[in-house]
């Protein structure tokens, strides 16, 4: 099967050279917009393209306010602060995720609680959250508390793994019942939809990434989105060094962040956003061909769940066991076709080994079996 897969991938990407997992595609107005930005001399944190990017992303995500920031991690970090996460609080999230999800919590001096995922979405399981809160949760006048630790549970942060949306209706209901705001880690899911609505706008705030390997990139960049104008304005204030408006004085009245997206990056992002629908159509066509190929081999190619539309940012296989996974990884990478395992579970990392977890049954199952395969726009 491995030789057939390598042959199939090389044909799809029309290359006998090294084939990466995901590379950016620049076929639009990137050079034109960058030249305009350079000619304007506004290449740093202020400029027309920052404003245009924020407006365009709000339109795409159907949210009322977007704040352009330097990367997806900073978007999540500030997003958590916006919903009230404070030092020594706890945030419910998933262990099966990229490390930025957990780091954004730690940067707020808060503590992750790692709960299990659903096998179909590979994202945070509403059932796992419900079970945890029924065992450990305690509602008080000022929010939900963890009876085991005595700490306040001040947010829940699901991550839409590889662009596959989590079961949002169920998760929203559980968190509403327990007075816990949701911060969506939508770093990987730009263009994905849940019941016809774009991801990122379901929680109080959402965070996106525009890193070089994302479906839309500006080299480095991120964004906070929200339907709460007050939170959005505060997010803009905090990410621009918490500087109060004044014609010439420098007045900063609280601890802020220099997390501003440069106009130069925003110009690139604007050109990329114009191509988003085409990128998604291209990737969904590739996913259809991958599924046909792997169905013929009796291998589970992971597809979107009911009531969702996935952007198929990174496409993946589910092998039967870890030995099969490791063999595929070895054979493909040795042949110049890049594949990668899913992330190591967060509670295995030294800085998060102290964190509270549940059984992690599904997360451990997926950790041993999931492999990402080349997913670039062709």
């Amino acid at each position: 099967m491995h030789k057939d897969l390598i042959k199939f991938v090389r044909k799809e990407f029309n290359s006998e050279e090294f084939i990466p997992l995901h590379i950016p595609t620049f076929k639009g107005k990137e050079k034109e917009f960058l030249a305009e930005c350079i000619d304007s001399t506004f290449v740093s944190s202020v400029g027309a393209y920052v404003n245009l990017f924020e407006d365009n992303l709000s339109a795409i995500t159907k949210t009322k306010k977007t704040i352009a920031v330097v990367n997806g991690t900073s978007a999540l970090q500030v997003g958590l602060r916006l919903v009230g996460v404070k030092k020594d609080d706890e945030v419910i999230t998933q262990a099966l995720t990229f490390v930025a999800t957990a780091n954004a919590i730690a940067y707020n001096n808060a503590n992750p609680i790692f709960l299990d995922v659903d096998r179909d979405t590979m994202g945070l399981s509403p059932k796992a959250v419900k079970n945890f809160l029924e065992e450990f949760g305690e509602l008080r006048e000022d929010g939900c508390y963890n009876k085991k630790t005595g700490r306040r549970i001040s947010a829940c942060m699901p991550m839409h793994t590889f662009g596959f949306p989590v079961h949002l209706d169920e998760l929203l209901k559980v968190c509403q019942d327990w007075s816990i705001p949701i911060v969506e880690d939508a770093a990987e899911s730009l263009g994905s939809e849940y019941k016809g609505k774009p991801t990122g706008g379901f929680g109080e705030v959402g965070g996106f990434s525009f890193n070089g390997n994302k479906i839309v990139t500006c080299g480095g960049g991120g964004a906070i989105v929200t339907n709460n104008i007050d939170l959005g304005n505060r997010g803009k204030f905090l990410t621009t060094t918490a500087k109060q408006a004044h014609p010439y004085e420098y007045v900063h009245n609280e601890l802020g962040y220099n997390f501003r997206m440069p106009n130069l990056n925003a110009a690139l992002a604007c050109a990329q956003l114009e191509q988003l629908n085409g990128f998604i159509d291209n990737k969904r066509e590739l996913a259809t061909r991958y599924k046909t190929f792997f169905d013929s081999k009796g291998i589970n190619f992971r597809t979107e769940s009911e009531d969702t539309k996935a952007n198929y940012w990174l496409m993946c296989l589910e092998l039967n066991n870890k030995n099969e996974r490791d063999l595929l990884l070895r054979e493909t990478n040795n042949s110049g076709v890049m594949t990668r395992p899913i992330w190591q579970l967060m509670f295995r990392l030294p800085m998060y080994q102290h964190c509270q977890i549940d059984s992690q049954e599904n997360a451990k199952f997926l950790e041993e079996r999931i492999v990402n395969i080349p997913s670039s726009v062709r």
Side-chain angles (χ1 to χ4, degrees):
M1 189 279 290
H2 301 134
K3 290 182 179 179
D4 290 342
L5 171 59
I6 292 163
K7 182 178 179 181
F8 179 84
V9 171
R10 292 202 175 282
K11 181 179 179 182
E12 283 294 322
F13 290 92
N14 191 29
S15 175
E16 293 300 318
E17 304 298 323
F18 174 73
I19 299 177
L21 204 60
H22 198 284
I23 59 173
T25 299
F26 302 116
K27 296 181 179 179
K29 297 179 180 178
E30 289 88 354
K31 292 182 180 179
E32 176 186 339
F33 287 3
L34 285 170
E36 288 180 359
C37 182
I38 291 168
D39 289 343
S40 77
T41 73
F42 286 94
V43 296
S44 191
S45 56
V46 175
Y49 280 110
V50 174
N51 299 331
L52 180 62
F53 167 76
E54 292 178 338
D55 290 343
N56 289 348
L57 189 63
S58 284
I60 289 169
T61 59
K62 297 182 180 178
T63 53
K64 295 179 180 179
K65 181 73 173 178
T66 293
I67 305 98
V69 293
V70 69
N71 55 49
T73 308
S74 61
L76 297 176
Q77 177 183 343
V78 176
L80 290 167
R81 180 171 168 182
L82 290 176
V83 302
V85 175
K86 295 180 174 61
K87 182 179 180 181
D88 295 328
D89 281 357
E90 294 180 337
V91 176
I92 292 172
T93 191
Q94 59 205 64
L96 188 71
T97 186
F98 181 59
V99 71
T101 308
N103 286 350
I105 298 169
Y107 294 156
N108 282 281
N109 295 305
N111 304 278
I113 298 172
F114 295 118
L115 301 185
D116 207 359
V117 297
D118 288 319
R119 287 195 189 181
D120 59 344
T121 68
M122 298 179 286
L124 186 63
S125 168
K127 182 178 179 181
V129 176
K130 184 174 185 289
N131 289 343
F132 177 85
L133 291 171
E134 287 178 348
E135 181 175 359
F136 296 105
E138 179 181 68
L139 274 175
R140 303 179 189 173
E141 288 187 3
D142 60 340
C144 181
Y145 282 76
N146 186 337
K147 289 187 289 189
K148 181 176 181 179
T149 64
R151 298 186 181 117
R152 187 171 70 105
I153 302 174
S154 53
C156 174
M157 188 156 62
M159 198 274 281
H160 303 300
T161 306
F162 305 138
F164 295 107
V166 304
H167 294 298
L168 280 161
D169 279 352
E170 294 91 336
L171 186 61
L172 286 164
K173 175 64 167 58
V174 172
C175 290
Q176 183 180 37
D177 289 345
W178 288 89
S179 299
I180 300 172
I182 288 179
V183 175
E184 273 181 85
D185 183 346
E188 302 175 356
S189 67
L190 180 65
S192 296
E193 298 177 358
Y194 178 81
K195 295 187 176 181
K197 180 180 175 181
T199 57
F202 286 86
E204 285 293 305
V205 297
F208 287 95
S209 170
F210 300 94
N211 187 38
N213 66 346
K214 294 300 189 294
I215 189 168
V216 160
T217 184
C218 52
I224 304 165
V225 298
T226 182
N227 284 304
N228 185 318
I229 297 297
D230 289 338
L231 283 185
N233 290 337
R234 177 156 173 76
K236 188 71 169 179
F237 176 70
L238 289 175
T239 58
T240 54
T241 70
K243 182 181 182 295
Q244 290 185 305
H246 192 279
Y248 49 84
E249 292 284 2
Y250 292 90
V251 181
H252 307 263
N253 62 359
E254 64 178 302
L255 181 65
Y257 314 92
N258 187 8
F259 283 170
R260 300 171 288 191
M261 177 189 285
N263 197 42
L264 201 63
N265 293 83
L268 187 58
C270 287
Q272 287 272 287
L273 286 178
E274 290 184 345
Q275 303 166 78
L276 175 61
N277 290 337
F279 289 167
I280 292 175
D281 289 344
N282 183 290
K283 289 165 76 64
R284 289 177 64 83
E285 289 173 7
L286 176 60
T288 297
R289 287 196 285 275
Y290 265 141
K291 184 174 183 343
T292 299
F293 172 81
F294 287 111
D295 281 351
S296 71
K297 304 294 182 182
I299 294 174
N300 183 13
F301 175 77
R302 300 300 301 260
T303 56
E304 61 200 9
S305 56
E306 187 178 0
D307 292 327
T308 72
K309 178 182 178 181
N311 65 5
Y312 285 97
W313 169 57
L314 283 187
M315 303 176 207
C316 57
L317 312 177
E318 180 187 309
L319 284 302
N320 290 321
N321 52 58
K322 188 176 184 297
N323 288 336
E324 286 190 12
R325 184 204 75 165
D326 291 347
L327 179 60
L328 185 144
L329 289 167
R330 186 165 58 251
E331 293 290 333
T332 51
N333 283 287
N334 285 345
S335 298
V337 173
M338 186 177 182
T339 59
R340 286 291 183 268
I342 205 167
W343 314 280
Q344 189 176 59
L345 300 180
M346 292 296 101
F347 60 82
R348 302 194 196 283
L349 305 183
M351 59 281 201
Y352 296 122
Q353 289 178 357
H354 67 285
C355 295
Q356 191 172 359
I357 64 172
D358 60 3
S359 71
Q360 299 291 310
E361 177 182 354
N362 294 331
K364 291 175 181 176
F365 177 92
L366 294 166
E367 181 188 32
E368 292 185 346
R369 292 167 172 80
I370 295 295
V371 172
N372 291 123
I373 55 180
S375 308
S376 303
V377 173
R378 292 139 302 130

